[in-house]
């Protein structure tokens, strides 16, 4: 290929660089091209723009319905946590005290010396902005739980949290992020364990059936546990660069937090017992996972069930005298699709038609519909699937489209899921020695290796881990902890 | 009346004290009895418990739909605001810098000297936890607005905010609260003014048609304006103690924030212009307003459109052998009501029937349904309206109930609204002198007085204002600023 040919080939994709050229930079450019989020003037904090936020709203709405079906109630607890709370659970403080925003004053006054404002009125006890809420919710649970009749207690909050991250990346790692954190309490350890596993499966269901993101589930190795948990269960996605994304975790906290926060109840035996608690969370990080699972070199592809617009209609007006008719025709199609519960909009901006098409591609709208004079005169429309592209272009009667649009969207969902699962499954390698692993990663191969968990206990693993930034991802349940997936990760 | 008679009379209400005996304490007890919220270990911050949060969720869902109809997009901006941002708008800093949580460090370390943890790693520039987001959103708007084609820009965020309040009261005034804050930008001042008024009317619509809370709308006097606004419009409710509750505000910010944050655009004339912005917000404070508007001496009354459960079914089992049948019958009724879109639950807790009834009364469930053997055998049910009580008790066929339940709920809404509006309208007094006002409040009368706005300019008004904690509430539009409502307020 000559330089010009290469250039031409390159220009065929809407995103520069491509995934192959520079995956991390491609990721940033996909977000930019889809107008989803951007960095803010606040260190490490992002601004979620309307298009990105609309995706999060759809995720929230669907997941919220799922947890309500599980008998979980939403509530809201304070943003600030007294620092003394953080000291109570020994492992927890090690895990979270290192990277938090500390509120020390409650007033600003004019700085006469240097101009501007400066903090005043120091607090007696500083607070931290919640990095997670086990402590403050544990404190409430202690007050709310007096008898076994008060259990199980299943609480969730949708909230912002802060962890002072040094290296940040939009959606994947930001100092502030949005999430849900579930906090359940039970009479027995068995119930708590069962619940932690149940919520993990709710996550898997959500990831696969809503986000079209295949996940592996299993238990984390001891090193990777949540600080204060006796077991952490996780779902792990494989991104298109072969790296893992921890997409959701569910923790069995045993009586650790109950003991630190005095969550006791009078049991059926009349005696006092500590409650067994769990916690479980997913966050805006999942949006990063959706991007890295599905997007391509032309930009975002939004799984249909969370797409802000499942269908975008682009009127193709060549003869201005017919513009009004075409718009009216498009509006009629919109009305019929809305009646089917489809999220649809007409792109009626003052903009060139090809620009609108590229915009819908870069934004990853699952189905693009084009309506021109020819379509209007024939009572038809032309539709194109984002996941397949021009090969899926088809013209059909409006009625027919209205009838089949839901199944096309389902088929897009299924196609995205299958493509991602096939990719993942073809990038998992069984290995039996550290040498084999080293060789694999040294050659620049991507994906997960599945090895005996015992292998990680070999002293040489530490060096290997460091050299290639590897981490054990999770131990699949079917192997009872004997096997573990290892890979690079976000 | 003897002491015992008084005692007996008193015990007939579920809430002690009654509204008449001690309104502020009654308010706290209503919240407690309905299990809506409680104080937290964090100074001035509340915990919104599941029942209170479910009311907020319903409010959010309905209001969110209303603003989306107005073309507003949700987005999310950082929790923290650099303190330098606060200095940029001179009035704004005076209004908000006095009472804010200041983040000065980003790490906790073990305090070797005193034990526990202490802040470490000071920030170069401190941040405040947002008390409102005009500044940080203005900073983004400046980047997003280059041409008149980018306008109008209509953004909203659902978020937590903090204002360091000294005296707090659940829902009404807390250091952290939840709200929505809308931030719109326009080409012209006329559009901005029109939008500020439009959003005020959306608030009025929401308050009256969703919360059944009648509100007076108008412009705030200059003293009561939002810091940085050229006009603040407000809706004011009258609580049952005659005090005002500012229930929502909408501000015309003119070009004040645009100038401070450089929100400029190239206009249709090819020249550079400053955008005209507005901001508008309602918060969890509205829940306090709902309580003080509708609740009675038996506890909360939730307006049906935001009620977590619009109907509660209480199975009345006298003969245990028929318990299963009654529960099955109740489940059938639930299914039929759910099919009508009614939020309904069966109270199947292990608890005495009268306790369940009182619980549904104290929680303010709009309609209570009782199903016993007699009802089951006759294919009927007995229903009681919370707003009217036993006088509304009626037994009818299940089918008939299913058919009319929506209209009963509407009628409860209308009844609550009318009762509150009648109360308010009968507690507004036209007056023409400060002496008349003083006399009115001195005698312990409750309600608003409506006077010439000019009266407030009299030097003696300041003393009167202080003596009776009066504030001008709003100047009704119909009087073009000539008249103003004055009253005590929350």
């Amino acid at each position: 290929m000559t330089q010009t040919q290469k250039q031409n080939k390159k220009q065929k994709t809407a995103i520069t660089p491509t995934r192959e050229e520079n995956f991390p930079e491609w990721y940033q450019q996909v977000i930019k091209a889809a107008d989803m989020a951007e960095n803010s003037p606040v260190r490490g904090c992002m601004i979620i723009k309307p298009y990105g936020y609309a995706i999060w709203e759809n995720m929230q709405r669907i997941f919220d319905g799922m947890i309500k079906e599980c008998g979980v109630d939403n509530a809201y607890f304070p943003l600030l946590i007294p620092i003394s709370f953080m000291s109570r659970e020994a492992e927890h403080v090690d895990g979270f005290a290192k990277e938090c925003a500390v509120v020390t004053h409650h007033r600003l006054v004019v700085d006469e010396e240097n101009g501007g404002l400066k903090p005043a009125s120091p607090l007696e006890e500083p607070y931290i902005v919640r990095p997670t809420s086990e402590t403050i919710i544990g404190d409430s649970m202690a007050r709310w739980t007096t008898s076994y009749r008060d259990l199980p207690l299943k609480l969730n909050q949708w909230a912002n949290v802060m962890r002072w991250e040094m290296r940040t990346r939009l959606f994947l790692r930001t100092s502030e992020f949005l999430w849900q954190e579930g906090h359940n309490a039970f009479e027995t350890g068995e119930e708590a364990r069962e619940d932690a596993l149940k919520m993990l499966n709710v996550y898997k269901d959500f990831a696969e059936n809503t986000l079209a993101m295949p996940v592996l589930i299993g238990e984390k190795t001891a090193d990777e546990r949540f600080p204060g948990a006796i077991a952490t269960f996780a779902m792990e996605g494989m991104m298109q660069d072969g790296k893992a994304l921890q997409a959701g975790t569910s923790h069995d906290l045993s009586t650790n937090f109950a003991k630190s926060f005095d969550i006791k109840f009078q049991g059926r035996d009349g005696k006092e017992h500590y409650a067994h608690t769990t916690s479980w969370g997913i966050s805006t990080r999942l949006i990063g996972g959706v991007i890295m699972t599905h997007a391509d070199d032309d930009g975002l592809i939004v799984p249909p069930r969370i797409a802000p617009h499942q269908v975008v209609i682009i009127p193709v007006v060549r003869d201005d005298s017919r513009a009004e008719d075409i718009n009216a025709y498009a509006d009629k199609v919109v009305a019929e699709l809305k009646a089917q519960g489809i999220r649809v909009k007409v792109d009626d901006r003052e903009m060139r038609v090809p620009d609108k098409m590229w915009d819908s591609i870069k934004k990853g709208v699952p189905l693009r519909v084009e309506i021109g004079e020819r379509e209007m005169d024939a009572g038809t429309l032309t539709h194109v699937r984002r996941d397949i592209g021009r090969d899926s272009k088809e013209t059909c009667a409006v009625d027919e489209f209205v009838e089949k649009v839901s199944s096309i969207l389902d088929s897009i969902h299924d196609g995205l899921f299958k493509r991602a699962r096939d990719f993942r499954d073809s990038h998992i390698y069984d290995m039996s020695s550290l040498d084999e692993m080293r060789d694999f990663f040294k050659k620049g191969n991507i994906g997960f290796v599945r090895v005996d968990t015992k292998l990680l206990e070999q002293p040489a693993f530490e060096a290997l881990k460091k050299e290639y930034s590897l981490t054990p991802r999770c131990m699949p349940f079917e192997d009872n902890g004997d096997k573990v997936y290892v890979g690079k990760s976000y």
Side-chain angles (χ1 to χ4, degrees), chain A:
Chain A
M1 245 191 275
T2 66
Q3 200 57 35
T4 326
Q5 277 172 322
K6 270 190 197 156
Q7 202 63 30
N8 283 345
K9 194 169 177 233
K10 199 175 164 185
Q11 283 177 351
K12 279 187 188 160
T13 67
I15 303 298
T16 309
T18 62
R19 286 164 290 182
E20 215 186 307
E21 288 165 347
N22 184 342
F23 195 84
E25 181 57 23
W26 163 85
Y27 173 77
Q28 304 288 346
Q29 292 304 323
V30 168
I31 291 172
K32 194 174 171 186
D35 206 21
M36 297 173 82
E38 62 184 37
N39 288 309
S40 79
V42 181
R43 234 202 103 281
C45 294
M46 67 180 157
I47 293 163
I48 308 180
K49 298 183 80 173
Y51 195 67
Y53 198 81
I55 293 173
W56 178 241
E57 282 183 304
N58 286 331
M59 290 167 63
Q60 276 192 299
R61 180 177 40 78
I62 294 169
F63 188 71
D64 194 64
M66 292 173 77
I67 59 176
K68 280 179 178 153
E69 285 294 315
C70 297
V72 176
D73 285 320
N74 286 332
Y76 189 76
F77 294 85
L79 169 71
L80 301 184
I81 296 178
I83 61 172
S84 61
F85 277 33
M86 293 305 286
S87 323
R88 291 206 209 163
E89 216 293 328
E91 290 186 17
H92 196 68
V93 63
D94 284 347
F96 288 105
K98 282 175 191 146
E99 37 171 54
C100 55
V102 192
V103 174
T104 55
H105 294 71
H106 67 85
R107 182 185 280 264
L108 291 178
V109 293
V110 173
D111 185 343
E112 305 287 357
E113 234 169 291
N114 307 304
L117 297 165
K118 63 175 184 186
S121 304
L123 296 168
E124 257 178 58
E125 184 185 356
Y127 294 105
I128 63 165
V129 177
R130 62 182 161 222
T132 180
S133 303
E134 278 75 9
T135 58
I136 191 97
I137 293 181
D139 177 73
S140 285
M141 281 184 164
R143 272 175 285 119
W144 300 350
T145 305
T146 57
S147 147
Y148 68 89
R149 287 185 201 86
D150 301 319
L151 298 174
L153 185 59
K154 298 184 181 183
L155 299 170
N156 176 66
Q157 78 175 358
W158 291 96
N160 52 344
V161 286
M162 287 205 87
R163 298 173 187 184
W164 212 262
E165 300 285 355
M166 284 304 131
R167 274 180 230 153
T168 60
R169 197 175 295 179
L170 291 172
F171 293 119
L172 296 174
R173 193 175 292 279
T174 46
S175 291
E176 182 186 14
F177 57 89
L178 304 182
W179 79 346
Q180 65 67 220
E181 48 179 321
H183 297 269
N184 296 355
F186 300 89
E187 282 183 72
T188 67
E190 293 71 39
E191 284 172 285
R193 175 58 60 103
E194 199 181 303
D195 183 72
L197 291 169
K198 177 182 163 183
M199 296 322 294
L200 180 70
N201 279 297
V202 173
Y203 283 150
K204 181 179 161 73
D205 178 2
F206 177 67
E208 301 197 334
N209 296 316
T210 299
L211 311 181
M213 183 196 292
V215 290
L216 298 166
I217 58 172
E219 187 174 348
K220 286 279 182 187
T221 55
D223 284 0
E224 302 281 324
R225 266 181 214 143
F226 178 80
I230 61 161
T232 285
F233 305 107
M235 62 171 176
E236 303 275 337
M238 187 191 288
M239 306 296 101
Q240 291 179 70
D241 60 352
K243 287 194 189 174
L245 183 89
Q246 180 178 299
T249 49
S250 181
H251 315 292
D252 179 347
L253 306 173
S254 182
T255 54
N256 289 344
F257 283 86
K259 282 176 180 160
S260 308
F261 287 89
D262 219 30
I263 312 174
K264 286 188 285 202
F265 64 96
Q266 196 181 41
R268 292 168 202 268
D269 57 5
K271 289 181 193 155
E272 201 165 66
H273 298 272
Y274 283 112
H276 292 74
T277 65
T278 65
S279 66
W280 34 283
I282 53 173
S283 73
T284 37
R285 152 168 258 236
L286 273 179
I287 299 174
V290 164
I291 297 168
M292 292 193 296
T293 302
H294 302 303
D296 64 17
D297 295 337
D298 284 331
L300 187 63
I301 300 182
V302 194
R305 289 165 199 167
I306 57 166
H309 310 112
Q310 298 169 309
V311 177
V312 160
I313 298 177
I314 301 176
V316 184
V317 179
R318 287 204 172 79
D319 172 359
D320 275 349
S321 74
R322 305 208 62 188
E324 212 170 297
D325 291 346
I326 291 182
N327 289 333
Y329 183 79
D331 287 344
K332 213 192 86 207
V333 177
V334 164
E336 289 189 40
L337 290 172
K338 280 195 174 160
Q340 296 288 312
I342 302 298
R343 295 188 290 274
V344 53
K345 74 157 193 177
V346 176
D347 188 346
D348 55 6
R349 291 174 295 176
E350 283 179 40
M351 202 190 268
R352 291 172 55 240
V353 167
D355 290 344
K356 287 184 186 182
M357 290 187 184
W358 276 112
D359 188 59
S360 81
I361 291 169
K362 290 186 285 184
K363 284 203 157 77
V365 180
L367 268 176
R368 182 174 88 238
V369 165
E370 299 165 11
I371 292 177
E373 273 175 49
R374 208 177 344 175
E375 280 90 354
M376 178 175 64
D377 292 340
T380 62
L381 51 73
T382 297
H383 56 92
V384 188
R385 281 170 63 151
R386 171 63 180 87
D387 59 330
I388 296 177
R390 64 173 65 170
D391 287 349
S392 66
K393 197 163 184 164
E394 197 189 308
T395 300
C396 71
V398 170
D399 290 353
E400 188 190 328
F401 181 72
V402 170
E403 200 169 302
K404 71 184 180 186
V405 62
S406 286
S407 68
I408 299 175
L409 292 171
D410 283 343
S411 151
I412 294 172
H413 173 94
D414 294 343
L416 290 174
F417 179 74
K418 189 177 177 305
R419 183 154 82 185
R421 195 189 51 197
D422 289 349
F423 174 83
R424 178 196 69 190
D425 290 349
S426 63
H427 288 84
I428 294 178
Y429 305 90
D430 281 296
M431 294 190 183
S432 53
S433 74
L434 294 181
D435 285 343
E436 211 178 342
M437 277 175 70
R438 182 176 296 108
D439 189 52
F440 176 84
F441 288 108
K442 195 173 180 178
K443 284 185 177 149
N445 289 310
I446 63 164
F448 299 169
V449 299
R450 182 168 44 204
V451 297
D452 280 356
T453 310
K454 281 190 200 121
L455 217 59
L456 309 193
E457 289 161 17
Q458 290 189 13
F461 179 65
E462 280 308 304
L464 179 61
K465 210 175 133 176
K466 251 190 195 158
E467 197 174 349
Y468 296 103
S469 308
L470 305 178
T471 41
R473 303 314 308 162
C474 67
M475 299 179 287
F477 296 116
E478 58 270 27
D479 300 311
N480 295 310
D482 292 341
K483 295 276 184 186
V484 61
Y485 294 106
V486 177
K488 301 183 182 187
S489 73
Y490 282 95

